[in-house]
Amino acid sequence: QVQLVESGGGSVQTGGSLRLSCAASGDTYGSACMAWFRQAPGKEREWIASIYTRTGGTYSADSVKGRFTFSQDNAKKTLYLQVNSLKPDDTAMYYCAAARGLHCRNEGDFGYWGQGTQVTVSS
């Protein structure tokens, strides 16, 4: 079993920054890939990025490239998402997830999800 807990969300003005965290516990050995998603009010859940935890390799959606930075601390089993230059369109609940196996892109690829942390950006 894997447990995931997101934190670090909050309310900021346009152009502000936040640092989100995803702390993992339990049997995480088999989760070679993890990902960040977000879901805005009235919108479908959107994939943000996938992180291959054993190599540090990352690929992300075009909508966040240049503004969002992904990192990890393997000793703490924690992922970090630094979000900069925030826009109102970034307002959403942000989730992290752990993949079941080698595929790490679509919602069905992930066996574990956190509860989410809210990011609200005002103009």
Side-chain angles (χ1 to χ4, degrees), residues 6-12 17-22 81 83 117-119:
E6 302 95 333
S7 61
S11 298
V12 298
S17 299
L18 290 169
R19 189 193 193 201
L20 310 184
S21 299
C22 172
L81 170 54
V83 293
T117 186
Q118 179 69 38
V119 172

Side-chain angles (χ1 to χ4, degrees), residues 2-83:
V2 176
Q3 296 80 44
L4 304 173
V5 179
E6 302 95 333
S7 61
S11 298
V12 298
Q13 293 182 309
T14 297
S17 299
L18 290 169
R19 189 193 193 201
L20 310 184
S21 299
C22 172
S25 61
D27 185 10
T28 61
Y29 182 79
S31 297
C33 187
M34 299 183 67
W36 288 96
F37 289 80
R38 66 184 181 184
Q39 187 167 24
K43 303 288 186 179
E44 297 291 323
R45 187 165 295 184
E46 176 189 15
W47 171 81
I48 299 173
S50 296
I51 303 94
Y52 294 90
T53 59
R54 292 166 185 164
T55 65
T58 302
Y59 67 100
S60 61
D62 290 342
S63 61
V64 303
K65 287 180 179 176
R67 299 190 299 118
F68 289 14
T69 302
F70 308 91
S71 61
Q72 63 179 353
D73 184 333
N74 287 331
K76 296 181 178 180
K77 295 185 178 182
T78 300
L79 302 181
Y80 300 99
L81 170 54
Q82 179 72 36
V83 293

